[in-house]
Amino acid sequence: MLKSLKRQKLHESITDEVLKFIEQKGYVQGDRLPTERFFCEQFQISRPSLREAMKKLESYGVIEIKPGSGMYLRAEKTILTEMENISIKFSMEKKALLEVIDLREMMEKHAIEQIVANKQSLHLDKLGEIVDEYDRKRNKGEIPRKEDYLFHLALYEGSDNRLMLNLFKSIKEMDSLWADRVIEDLDMNVFGRETEPLHRLIYDAMQLGDAKKACKLIGKHFDIMREDLKKLGG
């Protein structure tokens, strides 16, 4: 019998338990997995919750869902082990998350310095448009998560450093493994919200050619992220 799942960490528990179940039962690539009904009864969860978790595993390339046929194991055993390890690492170890923030801070400070030093007006204009939309959403009481991503992406694009840009994109792909879990454990209305006003200030400093001030502000931005992550789990 698989253990019952705690509601407070449901999505995290479902994906982790499915990976463990597949590993324990010795399924191999191409094998058909048990039915939704089986997993729902064993995990004591609703079908919509299971389906959401399975769609996430499908997006990772772990399983394949064939309508009218069932769910099939797509990944090899070595990939399954790696997925499980990554899942645990990025959902449970704050240190790993904080290291990602450290890396981003270093890269984004460099990106700011490059954009300002090279007077890249095209990228500054793009940042300005993003910040305008960012503030418009904030004023409407919305959470501008898309604009937040686009703002930071624009910094990397303006750095003229393909390696940094690719690293950032890789980090964002990792979000699918841990970001939802981290944010669900915190208050969505609190996590990272204090960084929002800083985006306009960072842009304004860059417009004035003050890379030092902009870097200080981006440092403050990541300090807030660190403090919010440290609250995870008390």
Side-chain angles (χ1 to χ4, degrees):
M1 289 281 292
L2 294 176
K3 64 182 180 181
S4 301
L5 305 181
K6 295 182 179 179
R7 303 297 302 181
Q8 64 181 5
K9 293 186 178 180
L10 187 57
H11 297 154
E12 174 185 345
S13 297
I14 294 172
T15 53
D16 288 348
E17 289 297 319
V18 168
L19 288 171
K20 290 176 184 176
F21 175 80
I22 292 172
E23 180 71 20
Q24 290 170 0
K25 296 298 181 181
Y27 284 95
V28 296
Q29 191 174 35
D31 282 352
R32 183 177 178 178
L33 300 178
T35 63
E36 289 184 351
R37 180 178 179 180
F38 170 84
F39 283 120
C40 289
E41 290 178 351
Q42 295 298 318
F43 294 162
Q44 297 180 22
I45 56 174
S46 67
R47 190 156 292 189
S49 295
L50 175 69
R51 286 177 176 172
E52 183 176 350
M54 296 309 250
K55 284 181 180 178
K56 185 168 290 188
L57 286 177
E58 185 177 38
S59 72
Y60 298 162
V62 175
I63 68 169
E64 181 179 4
I65 301 173
K66 298 181 180 180
S69 178
M71 300 177 291
Y72 294 81
L73 183 59
R74 184 178 180 184
E76 297 177 0
K77 188 172 182 179
T78 53
I79 297 176
L80 283 176
T81 302
E82 181 181 352
M83 283 292 300
E84 186 173 355
N85 290 338
I86 292 175
S87 175
I88 293 171
K89 178 179 180 181
F90 281 90
S91 65
M92 301 300 291
E93 296 183 10
K94 295 182 197 177
K95 185 175 183 295
L97 301 178
L98 292 169
E99 287 173 353
V100 169
I101 289 180
D102 290 342
L103 176 62
R104 283 191 56 189
E105 181 178 352
M106 289 187 289
M107 292 195 299
E108 292 185 28
K109 284 182 176 180
H110 177 75
I112 288 171
E113 292 170 348
Q114 291 301 304
I115 293 172
V116 172
N118 296 326
K119 299 180 180 179
Q120 298 189 33
S121 58
L122 180 64
H123 291 286
L124 286 172
D125 290 344
K126 185 175 183 179
L127 283 169
E129 292 174 2
I130 294 169
V131 169
D132 287 342
E133 180 63 15
Y134 197 112
D135 288 344
R136 186 187 71 78
K137 284 193 173 181
R138 287 186 63 222
N139 292 334
K140 290 176 62 178
E142 300 177 11
I143 301 177
R145 297 205 179 279
K146 177 182 177 181
E147 287 68 30
D148 183 87
Y149 167 71
L150 292 176
F151 179 89
H152 294 281
L153 177 63
L155 291 180
Y156 289 95
E157 290 174 338
S159 71
D160 196 27
N161 187 310
R162 186 173 298 275
L163 176 58
M164 288 205 321
L165 177 60
N166 288 336
L167 279 172
F168 174 67
K169 289 180 178 179
S170 296
I171 288 171
K172 294 307 293 182
E173 288 174 2
M174 290 179 188
D175 286 352
S176 63
L177 295 178
W178 60 264
D180 290 343
R181 305 169 186 191
V182 171
I183 292 175
E184 282 177 4
D185 282 338
L186 298 171
D187 186 343
M188 278 289 291
N189 294 319
V190 174
F191 184 82
R193 296 302 301 277
E194 291 185 17
T195 67
E196 292 178 3
L198 296 176
H199 295 79
R200 168 68 65 180
L201 298 177
I202 293 167
Y203 165 70
D204 288 343
M206 293 175 69
Q207 274 283 71
L208 294 174
D210 194 341
K212 184 176 180 180
K213 181 177 180 180
C215 286
K216 184 176 180 179
L217 288 165
I218 201 74
K220 182 177 180 181
H221 175 288
F222 286 112
D223 283 341
I224 292 171
M225 298 296 291
R226 290 187 186 92
E227 289 304 310
D228 283 349
L229 280 173
K230 287 175 182 177
K231 296 173 187 174
L232 179 61

